[in-house]
Amino acid sequence: QGAKQEGAKGFFKGVGKGVLGLVASPVTAVLKAGHSVTQGVTNTAIAIKRGKLPYDEDYAEANQILIKVETGKYSKHSIRYFAEFPIYKKTKQTEEEGMLIVTEQALLFCKSEKKLLYSSQLGEITDIAVYEGGTDDKTRQKLYHLYVYSKKNRNYVFETVHYSLIDKTYSIL
């Protein structure tokens, strides 16, 4: 445009603006991102000062189960990973979910803070495997199975239609 209106002088003016914009845009974006991070840290610090800590309800539920299940047997454990898994009976999903909790020492699967469905010390797990097989009776989706083999406790199978949940749990174990 500059070349049409001002000739060579306009051309070089336009190229200069373009080069300047090419350099300035990423720098501006980085500065805006830095400002957003700083603002987030400031807001979190203010919330903590006011006694309002960031809160994860699911983590709190998993921690509550860990503290209460088996009369506090696992209360000194730290949670490394937790996830809700549906409870299946054969290939039929029940309406219930259980909480899978992996600590630094154990694998637990609890229906509630009073009902432990499965537990194994991590050192007693001899193998884990992932298989695809069957379909969920209700949704007709493929079922994925995570088999946990333990030398002291019975083996256990976690089932879900969500492969990512199985894969994440497998990688943690």
Side-chain angles (χ1 to χ4, degrees):
Q1 261 181 336
K4 285 181 183 176
Q5 294 171 355
E6 299 180 40
K9 182 179 173 186
F11 171 78
F12 287 112
K13 226 190 230 182
V15 169
K17 284 181 182 179
V19 169
L20 185 61
L22 186 67
V23 172
S25 291
V27 170
T28 303
V30 168
L31 291 175
K32 282 182 182 178
H35 174 73
S36 297
V37 170
T38 304
Q39 191 66 42
V41 169
T42 302
N43 290 344
T44 302
I46 290 168
I48 290 171
K49 186 177 178 183
R50 291 181 182 158
K52 296 179 181 178
L53 297 173
Y55 182 72
D56 182 338
E57 191 173 322
D58 293 331
Y59 180 82
E61 180 185 350
N63 200 46
Q64 194 66 23
I65 289 171
L66 197 61
I67 290 168
K68 291 188 174 183
V69 76
E70 297 280 296
T71 322
K73 179 179 176 181
Y74 302 98
S75 63
K76 301 283 187 211
H77 289 222
S78 298
I79 296 173
R80 286 180 46 209
Y81 173 73
F82 67 95
E84 289 185 339
F85 268 86
I87 297 174
Y88 277 85
K89 291 192 174 151
K90 302 200 177 179
T91 57
K92 186 172 175 129
Q93 181 178 349
T94 66
E95 296 297 316
E96 301 169 304
E97 287 191 332
M99 180 74 72
L100 176 133
I101 302 172
V102 179
T103 72
E104 71 281 355
Q105 299 169 10
L107 166 69
L108 310 168
F109 187 54
C110 306
K111 188 173 179 180
S112 69
E113 57 193 41
K114 294 181 180 158
K115 176 107 177 172
L116 181 66
L117 299 175
Y118 179 78
S119 71
S120 179
Q121 294 297 313
L122 293 183
E124 296 170 358
I125 295 174
T126 58
D127 195 16
I128 52 175
V130 176
Y131 297 100
E132 176 188 317
T135 56
D136 180 288
D137 285 346
K138 196 181 226 178
T139 65
R140 308 307 303 158
Q141 292 178 294
K142 289 181 189 176
L143 273 175
Y144 300 96
H145 313 276
L146 176 71
Y147 287 81
V148 177
Y149 300 97
S150 175
K151 59 184 163 189
K152 286 199 176 174
N153 296 339
R154 63 187 167 83
N155 301 328
Y156 200 83
V157 180
F158 297 94
E159 299 175 294
T160 182
V161 295
H162 303 288
Y163 180 77
S164 60
L165 186 58
I166 292 283
D167 186 48
K168 176 75 174 174
T169 304
Y170 178 82
S171 69
I172 296 291
L173 292 173

